[in-house]
């Protein structure tokens, strides 16, 4: 009974961490699908989100809802600006140039944060003020409940948006064939901007949830969840939104279970090991489609 | 005044000159064919007219408006639709979604529904398969979808790039019948074809392209009786 209980607890932990990975992974996968690039600065948007929430709620003392909305808007706008400044001029450049630029953008964001907020970690108590619930012998913390709830809402909303709205349909068209989409009258630039806005907005949400869990602000706090979420996106099949959701959750659960039952030190190695095995068996990822390149 | 007027167009791919200063006109209601061998520059011309490629020099006017530097996505709204080579339907989207993307620039829902009905009437097969993913259609059906999608924008002129390519002879005849119907309903057609015989049968006038130059232009019936054209393009 107690083993079952502990497994359930670890599953819920994994689900919580995995939800955050999933929210971030969606940004990687959408940007890859539409703009055909890996935005390595995406993880640092989480960091900006966490600091933005701190500024709006702790320094400016804005009401929580306003602070959260402003945080999401800040990150969305930042996402659009980074694309316009750094990536758009490289639209027809070799992918290596874009990759290096994205890494540069990541360093830039981290160092600007370092300049403004200094290297000393800033303690920042969770803004989530929800009491946990007890299900039998199982305890679910407020942060866990909010994280799971917010993630489910965000994923349902995103799925509906992409599949049911005109803008979502345009996004799928651009992702499949940019030139043909242009012939339909779809502005490729506007669609790419929208993609960056949505991805960065979700990263802001992830940043808020992440900081509610870890309660310490550092300029490099986005790096680790960023890279994990990238792994999740590849695991699920880069370019596929359900793949990113699924990959994030799976990754969180594997990480949590291996931390609890195998080894804390080895948990990351196990996570990457799973990625290697999945890619060996199915190179396009769990839910990804194999694209046959036409010559 | 010509509906579409192209003047001294020059297009480069890097340092290679693909189009070497061509001029042509399409008048309201005409079916114009651009014929020529592989690599003559036919597709390049269409891509440049609809804004997917930018010319080095020259001028493209549509109903008196200079569209040479206009981005591709704005040209559609003026009433110019392009059925691209290789069809390029959105394979992961349904037939219905593909058609609705064709009407992307239009706002009036009732008018869109009316056009959709018209497209379904013209292509009953698309209605039967409206919930199917476009990638699961046969080549001929995909060609019909690409044409239906272009018609959804309610174009004044429709540019078609190799509509018969890779299709069985039955489908080829069907596609050319449809082009005739589209033209009869008042839409101007600019047709690019390697199948010169079929193209000349339905065209009013034609331009013959060779390695980026227009080498001949005449009425379709005149070209069909031209010995050099017969020999080079009609296989007689």
């Amino acid at each position: 009974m107690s083993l079952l209980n502990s497994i359930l607890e670890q599953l819920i932990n994994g689900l919580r961490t995995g939800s955050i990975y999933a929210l971030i992974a969606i940004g990687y996968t959408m940007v890859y699908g539409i703009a055909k690039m890996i935005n390595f600065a995406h993880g640092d948007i989480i960091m900006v989100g966490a600091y933005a929430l701190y500024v709006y709620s702790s320094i400016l003392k804005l009401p929580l809802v306003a602070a959260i909305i402003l945080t999401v808007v800040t990150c969305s706008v930042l996402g659009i600006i980074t694309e316009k400044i750094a990536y758009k001029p490289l639209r027809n450049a070799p992918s290596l140039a874009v990759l290096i630029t994205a890494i540069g953008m990541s360093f830039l964001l981290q160092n600007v944060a370092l300049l403004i907020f200094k290297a000393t970690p800033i303690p920042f108590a969770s803004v989530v003020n929800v009491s946990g619930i007890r299900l039998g012998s199982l305890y679910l913390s407020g942060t866990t409940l909010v994280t799971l709830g917010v993630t489910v809402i965000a994923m349902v909303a995103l799925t509906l948006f992409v599949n049911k709205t005109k803008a979502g349909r345009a996004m799928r068209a651009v992702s499949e064939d940019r030139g043909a989409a242009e012939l339909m009258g779809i502005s490729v630039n506007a669609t790419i901007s929208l993609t960056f806005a949505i991805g960065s907005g979700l990263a802001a949400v992830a940043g808020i949830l992440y900081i509610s869990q870890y309660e310490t602000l550092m300029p490099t706090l986005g790096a680790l969840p960023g890279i994990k979420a990238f792994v999740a996106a590849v695991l699920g099949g880069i370019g596929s939104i359900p793949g990113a959701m699924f990959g994030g959750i799976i990754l969180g659960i594997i990480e949590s279970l291996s931390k609890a039952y195998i080894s804390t030190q080895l948990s990351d190695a196990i996570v990457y090991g799973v990625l290697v095995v999945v890619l060996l068996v199915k190179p396009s990822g769990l839910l990804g489609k194999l694209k046959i390149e036409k010559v | 005044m010509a509906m579409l007027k192209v003047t001294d167009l020059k297009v480069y791919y890097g340092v290679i000159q693909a189009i070497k200063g061509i001029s042509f006109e399409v008048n309201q209601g005409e079916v114009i064919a651009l014929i020529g061998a592989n690599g003559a520059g036919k597709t390049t011309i269409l891509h440049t007219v609809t804004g997917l490629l930018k010319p080095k020099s020259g001028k493209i006017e549509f109903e008196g408006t200079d569209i040479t530097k206009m981005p591709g996505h704005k040209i559609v709204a003026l009433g110019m639709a392009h059925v691209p080579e290789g069809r390029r339907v959105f394979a992961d989207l349904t037939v219905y979604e593909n058609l609705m993307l064709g009407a992307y620039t239009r706002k009036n829902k009732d008018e869109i529904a009316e056009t959709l009905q018209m497209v379904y009437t013209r292509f009953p097969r698309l209605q039967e398969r409206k919930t199917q993913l476009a990638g699961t259609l046969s080549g001929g059906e995909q060609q019909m979808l690409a044409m239906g999608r272009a018609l959804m924008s309610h174009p004044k002129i429709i540019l078609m790039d190799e509509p018969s390519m890779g299709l069985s002879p039955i489908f080829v005849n069907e596609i050319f019948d449809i082009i005739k119907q589209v033209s009869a309903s008042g839409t101007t057609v600019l047709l690019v074809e390697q199948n010169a015989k079929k193209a000349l049968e339905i065209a009013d006038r034609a331009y013959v392209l060779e390695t980026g130059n227009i080498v001949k232009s005449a009425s379709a019936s005149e070209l069909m009786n031209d010995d050099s054209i017969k020999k080079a393009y009609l296989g007689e």
Side-chain angles (χ1 to χ4, degrees), chain A residues 236-251:
Chain A
I238 191 117
S240 153
I241 293 174
M245 296 175 181
F246 187 59
I249 304 281
I250 292 278
L251 196 81

PDB file of all heavy atoms in Angstrom, chain A residues 236-251:
ATOM      1  N   GLY A 236       8.820  13.808 -28.435  1.00  0.00           N
ATOM      2  CA  GLY A 236       7.438  13.708 -28.899  1.00  0.00           C
ATOM      3  C   GLY A 236       7.323  13.809 -30.414  1.00  0.00           C
ATOM      4  O   GLY A 236       6.306  13.452 -30.984  1.00  0.00           O
ATOM      5  N   GLY A 237       8.358  14.329 -31.058  1.00  0.00           N
ATOM      6  CA  GLY A 237       8.317  14.525 -32.506  1.00  0.00           C
ATOM      7  C   GLY A 237       8.273  16.012 -32.799  1.00  0.00           C
ATOM      8  O   GLY A 237       7.201  16.615 -32.701  1.00  0.00           O
ATOM      9  N   ILE A 238       9.417  16.611 -33.127  1.00  0.00           N
ATOM     10  CA  ILE A 238       9.455  18.074 -33.259  1.00  0.00           C
ATOM     11  C   ILE A 238       8.565  18.514 -34.424  1.00  0.00           C
ATOM     12  O   ILE A 238       8.537  17.885 -35.469  1.00  0.00           O
ATOM     13  CB  ILE A 238      10.902  18.600 -33.373  1.00  0.00           C
ATOM     14  CG1 ILE A 238      10.939  20.115 -33.229  1.00  0.00           C
ATOM     15  CG2 ILE A 238      11.572  18.168 -34.669  1.00  0.00           C
ATOM     16  CD1 ILE A 238      11.701  20.595 -32.042  1.00  0.00           C
ATOM     17  N   GLY A 239       7.789  19.558 -34.200  1.00  0.00           N
ATOM     18  CA  GLY A 239       6.840  20.020 -35.199  1.00  0.00           C
ATOM     19  C   GLY A 239       5.417  19.610 -34.857  1.00  0.00           C
ATOM     20  O   GLY A 239       4.467  20.183 -35.368  1.00  0.00           O
ATOM     21  N   SER A 240       5.275  18.620 -33.971  1.00  0.00           N
ATOM     22  CA  SER A 240       3.938  18.138 -33.617  1.00  0.00           C
ATOM     23  C   SER A 240       3.524  18.694 -32.248  1.00  0.00           C
ATOM     24  O   SER A 240       4.221  18.486 -31.252  1.00  0.00           O
ATOM     25  CB  SER A 240       3.940  16.608 -33.595  1.00  0.00           C
ATOM     26  OG  SER A 240       2.964  16.117 -32.715  1.00  0.00           O
ATOM     27  N   ILE A 241       2.406  19.394 -32.195  1.00  0.00           N
ATOM     28  CA  ILE A 241       1.956  19.982 -30.925  1.00  0.00           C
ATOM     29  C   ILE A 241       1.520  18.901 -29.927  1.00  0.00           C
ATOM     30  O   ILE A 241       1.968  18.918 -28.779  1.00  0.00           O
ATOM     31  CB  ILE A 241       0.859  21.039 -31.163  1.00  0.00           C
ATOM     32  CG1 ILE A 241       1.465  22.230 -31.910  1.00  0.00           C
ATOM     33  CG2 ILE A 241       0.252  21.508 -29.852  1.00  0.00           C
ATOM     34  CD1 ILE A 241       0.482  23.278 -32.328  1.00  0.00           C
ATOM     35  N   PRO A 242       0.684  17.923 -30.340  1.00  0.00           N
ATOM     36  CA  PRO A 242       0.372  16.853 -29.387  1.00  0.00           C
ATOM     37  C   PRO A 242       1.641  16.120 -28.954  1.00  0.00           C
ATOM     38  O   PRO A 242       1.755  15.688 -27.798  1.00  0.00           O
ATOM     39  CB  PRO A 242      -0.537  15.904 -30.170  1.00  0.00           C
ATOM     40  CG  PRO A 242      -1.013  16.672 -31.346  1.00  0.00           C
ATOM     41  CD  PRO A 242      -0.025  17.752 -31.619  1.00  0.00           C
ATOM     42  N   GLY A 243       2.609  16.007 -29.862  1.00  0.00           N
ATOM     43  CA  GLY A 243       3.877  15.358 -29.540  1.00  0.00           C
ATOM     44  C   GLY A 243       4.601  16.085 -28.427  1.00  0.00           C
ATOM     45  O   GLY A 243       5.137  15.459 -27.507  1.00  0.00           O
ATOM     46  N   ALA A 244       4.620  17.427 -28.478  1.00  0.00           N
ATOM     47  CA  ALA A 244       5.294  18.212 -27.450  1.00  0.00           C
ATOM     48  C   ALA A 244       4.599  18.037 -26.105  1.00  0.00           C
ATOM     49  O   ALA A 244       5.252  17.902 -25.066  1.00  0.00           O
ATOM     50  CB  ALA A 244       5.322  19.681 -27.852  1.00  0.00           C
ATOM     51  N   MET A 245       3.275  18.024 -26.125  1.00  0.00           N
ATOM     52  CA  MET A 245       2.529  17.846 -24.879  1.00  0.00           C
ATOM     53  C   MET A 245       2.854  16.482 -24.271  1.00  0.00           C
ATOM     54  O   MET A 245       3.224  16.369 -23.098  1.00  0.00           O
ATOM     55  CB  MET A 245       1.021  17.920 -25.156  1.00  0.00           C
ATOM     56  CG  MET A 245       0.557  19.278 -25.675  1.00  0.00           C
ATOM     57  SD  MET A 245      -1.200  19.218 -26.092  1.00  0.00           S
ATOM     58  CE  MET A 245      -1.480  20.885 -26.695  1.00  0.00           C
ATOM     59  N   PHE A 246       2.728  15.464 -25.105  1.00  0.00           N
ATOM     60  CA  PHE A 246       2.967  14.092 -24.688  1.00  0.00           C
ATOM     61  C   PHE A 246       4.423  13.919 -24.241  1.00  0.00           C
ATOM     62  O   PHE A 246       4.706  13.368 -23.168  1.00  0.00           O
ATOM     63  CB  PHE A 246       2.637  13.180 -25.875  1.00  0.00           C
ATOM     64  CG  PHE A 246       2.675  11.718 -25.588  1.00  0.00           C
ATOM     65  CD1 PHE A 246       1.846  11.170 -24.616  1.00  0.00           C
ATOM     66  CD2 PHE A 246       3.519  10.878 -26.299  1.00  0.00           C
ATOM     67  CE1 PHE A 246       1.867   9.815 -24.357  1.00  0.00           C
ATOM     68  CE2 PHE A 246       3.550   9.516 -26.051  1.00  0.00           C
ATOM     69  CZ  PHE A 246       2.718   8.989 -25.067  1.00  0.00           C
ATOM     70  N   GLY A 247       5.362  14.411 -25.042  1.00  0.00           N
ATOM     71  CA  GLY A 247       6.791  14.284 -24.739  1.00  0.00           C
ATOM     72  C   GLY A 247       7.125  14.931 -23.403  1.00  0.00           C
ATOM     73  O   GLY A 247       7.890  14.374 -22.608  1.00  0.00           O
ATOM     74  N   GLY A 248       6.560  16.108 -23.144  1.00  0.00           N
ATOM     75  CA  GLY A 248       6.824  16.821 -21.894  1.00  0.00           C
ATOM     76  C   GLY A 248       6.372  16.012 -20.691  1.00  0.00           C
ATOM     77  O   GLY A 248       7.123  15.830 -19.719  1.00  0.00           O
ATOM     78  N   ILE A 249       5.143  15.507 -20.763  1.00  0.00           N
ATOM     79  CA  ILE A 249       4.575  14.739 -19.644  1.00  0.00           C
ATOM     80  C   ILE A 249       5.393  13.461 -19.405  1.00  0.00           C
ATOM     81  O   ILE A 249       5.789  13.157 -18.273  1.00  0.00           O
ATOM     82  CB  ILE A 249       3.100  14.354 -19.948  1.00  0.00           C
ATOM     83  CG1 ILE A 249       2.259  15.602 -20.249  1.00  0.00           C
ATOM     84  CG2 ILE A 249       2.503  13.510 -18.831  1.00  0.00           C
ATOM     85  CD1 ILE A 249       1.808  16.382 -19.067  1.00  0.00           C
ATOM     86  N   ILE A 250       5.680  12.736 -20.495  1.00  0.00           N
ATOM     87  CA  ILE A 250       6.459  11.493 -20.385  1.00  0.00           C
ATOM     88  C   ILE A 250       7.816  11.767 -19.734  1.00  0.00           C
ATOM     89  O   ILE A 250       8.256  11.070 -18.825  1.00  0.00           O
ATOM     90  CB  ILE A 250       6.703  10.893 -21.800  1.00  0.00           C
ATOM     91  CG1 ILE A 250       5.394  10.393 -22.397  1.00  0.00           C
ATOM     92  CG2 ILE A 250       7.739   9.786 -21.775  1.00  0.00           C
ATOM     93  CD1 ILE A 250       5.004   9.033 -21.923  1.00  0.00           C
ATOM     94  N   LEU A 251       8.459  12.836 -20.214  1.00  0.00           N
ATOM     95  CA  LEU A 251       9.781  13.178 -19.701  1.00  0.00           C
ATOM     96  C   LEU A 251       9.726  13.475 -18.209  1.00  0.00           C
ATOM     97  O   LEU A 251      10.567  12.997 -17.436  1.00  0.00           O
ATOM     98  CB  LEU A 251      10.303  14.400 -20.465  1.00  0.00           C
ATOM     99  CG  LEU A 251      11.781  14.649 -20.341  1.00  0.00           C
ATOM    100  CD1 LEU A 251      12.522  13.754 -21.307  1.00  0.00           C
ATOM    101  CD2 LEU A 251      12.108  16.104 -20.628  1.00  0.00           C
TER     102      LEU A 251
END
